[in-house]
Amino acid sequence: MTDHAATAAAGRAPADPERLALEFHHGGRLMDPTLAGVQIWRVRITADGEPVGSLQATRGLWWTAIRLRERLIDEGAFLAEVAQQLLDPDGSFTAAFTELVKRPEHMLIFDRCEMVPPWDDALTVAGMVTAVIDRLTDSSFAVVFPRAGAPGSVGARLLEQAGTLLTAVGFTDGLLVLDTSTGALTSAAIRVRDHLVDRARHGGVDRDDLDEEDWFENQEYQALTPRTAGLLRLAVEQLSQEAWQEIAALGDEALPRGAGGLFGSLPLVILRQESGWRRQMARVFDDLAADLADGEVVPLCRGEVMALDLGIRRAQNIHRNRPGLLAQAVEGLPAEARDFDWYACFDLLFAGRGVSMLDDVLDGIDGIEDSDIDQVMGTVDPAPLDWFSPFDDDRARDPDRGFRHP
């Protein structure tokens, strides 16, 4: 049974994680030499400004600490237990720990996790732990979690479950260890965040708890939210601007393999298309931007499917990495729980043949990256001009609508 299912069985739905905020505190005197090697961070967790829990994370830096083993032991409780299990009496790391992680001299130790209901579930804690790891480490840390029943630890059960979700592995009966240099944490953190997003937007339901049919029924999502449409429109407008700039710079010049820019990011078989084809593709972005401004968008041809795919991916990037630009795109638009639900965005916009058309384009060029471009063009016929032929003649765009640029 998943943590969500167990929570539901207990008669309470998991609380909305988007209400949570983390406040980091680490204090000490400026000239205190002990702060160089051991930094104890206390993280206060609030929901809508009200305290709902706390978490302790300790950075242990062997190369700046004076006798790190003794320093951690002096802190007592779980930190002393970690020191005794990972460090030999002479101060060096144990052979088993050195074999497990790439850079053992950098450690982040989690302890003292206290959460009040309904926030006391492993997925929520894993999301918080991910945020703390992102703030306090780089790609050369060993992250240490207690196992349930570990001496001196508070909240060990929740921390063990969170560590397991983040791919930490058992090291001893009392410890789990995660090496941030392996890359496994990144994938696990994305999965955790996606589950939390599902929980926030779909009434406490995680996508993996439902089969595909039930998932679509559960969404009750028939149109893009205003803020999702606003951000997607900005993304498509950016792509349009880039397309017209490249058209002006390239003319009819063919692109080499590995070319950058918007047209260089399209499938390989598009590289030799001339300016007339590129202008039609640029107009696709303009058409979609106009549709989004009116509040509804449906891809009407293969080129629009490809353009929407690029637009959604650009919007995702803005959502994750450009907070200032995001704020501009959604200013004045009402917020909804399902804003920026990119899973639902793909499902909604590519329902039916749109997805199959996109798959056909991508499948048609699969495996040809290492082929000679002349051979590819002679053996693969993706009919790129058909990208602008309507799926349905009754829903075709006006062929006399013209272009944004002459």
Side-chain angles (χ1 to χ4, degrees), residues 7-318:
T7 303
R12 58 183 175 91
D16 182 356
E18 290 192 343
R19 296 170 54 199
L20 294 178
L22 278 63
E23 301 172 6
F24 290 74
H25 176 75
H26 168 62
R29 294 182 180 276
L30 175 64
M31 302 304 292
D32 185 350
T34 64
L35 296 181
V38 174
Q39 304 165 3
I40 300 178
W41 290 80
R42 293 179 175 85
V43 184
R44 180 173 179 259
I45 297 102
T46 62
D48 301 328
E50 296 296 322
V52 296
S54 62
L55 181 65
Q56 178 173 291
T58 301
R59 280 165 51 101
L61 307 176
W62 178 84
W63 56 278
T64 61
I66 304 300
R67 303 184 68 84
L68 179 59
R69 186 175 193 272
E70 286 82 354
R71 177 73 176 82
L72 291 173
I73 288 175
D74 288 345
E75 291 293 334
F78 182 64
L79 295 182
E81 184 68 21
V82 170
Q84 292 165 351
Q85 293 198 36
L86 300 187
L87 290 150
D88 289 328
D90 65 0
S92 62
F93 285 98
T94 65
F97 187 62
T98 303
E99 182 178 351
L100 178 64
V101 298
K102 184 177 180 180
R103 297 279 302 273
E105 64 266 27
H106 299 77
M107 293 192 300
L108 184 69
I109 305 165
F110 281 102
D111 188 24
R112 307 195 67 80
C113 177
E114 300 181 88
M115 300 294 295
V116 301
W119 309 101
D120 54 339
D121 72 281
L123 191 63
T124 299
V125 174
M128 296 188 306
V129 164
T130 300
V132 175
I133 292 174
D134 185 60
R135 178 75 64 89
L136 300 182
T137 74
D138 56 27
S139 60
S140 60
F141 268 74
V143 183
V144 182
F145 299 87
R147 304 187 85 160
S153 178
V154 176
R157 180 186 63 83
L158 274 176
L159 286 171
E160 178 182 14
Q161 292 173 342
T164 300
L165 287 173
L166 296 173
T167 71
V169 298
F171 178 66
T172 67
D173 291 341
L175 305 180
L176 293 173
V177 174
L178 171 65
D179 186 350
T180 61
S181 69
T182 66
L185 172 62
T186 301
S187 298
I190 291 173
R191 289 194 300 271
V192 166
R193 187 184 184 282
D194 285 345
H195 283 302
L196 288 173
V197 167
D198 285 346
R199 175 178 293 183
R201 292 174 177 157
H202 303 289
V205 177
D206 291 337
R207 174 179 286 250
D208 287 352
D209 289 338
L210 299 174
D211 60 32
E212 185 174 358
E213 181 178 351
D214 289 339
W215 172 254
F216 284 117
E217 290 181 0
N218 181 70
Q219 285 193 77
E220 299 177 358
Y221 188 23
Q222 302 301 320
L224 298 178
T225 67
R227 297 209 303 171
T228 303
L231 180 55
L232 183 55
R233 178 186 175 189
L234 172 65
V236 171
E237 288 174 343
Q238 283 189 350
L239 292 167
S240 168
Q241 183 177 10
E242 293 170 15
W244 287 112
Q245 288 173 345
E246 290 183 24
I247 289 167
L250 292 171
D252 289 328
E253 178 186 348
L255 292 171
R257 281 192 297 176
L262 172 61
F263 289 109
S265 71
L266 295 177
L268 183 63
V269 291
I270 300 306
L271 296 181
R272 288 193 168 181
Q273 296 302 314
E274 298 179 347
S275 62
W277 188 94
R278 291 170 182 156
R279 284 168 55 80
Q280 291 188 77
M281 190 65 198
R283 183 169 61 180
V284 162
F285 293 112
D286 295 332
D287 290 338
L288 294 175
D291 291 347
L292 287 163
D294 293 336
E296 181 179 358
V297 61
V298 176
L300 303 181
C301 64
R302 181 182 294 187
E304 293 188 9
V305 171
M306 178 62 75
L308 272 177
D309 179 65
L310 293 174
I312 293 172
R313 296 181 193 284
R314 174 68 63 90
Q316 284 180 292
N317 183 276
I318 296 172

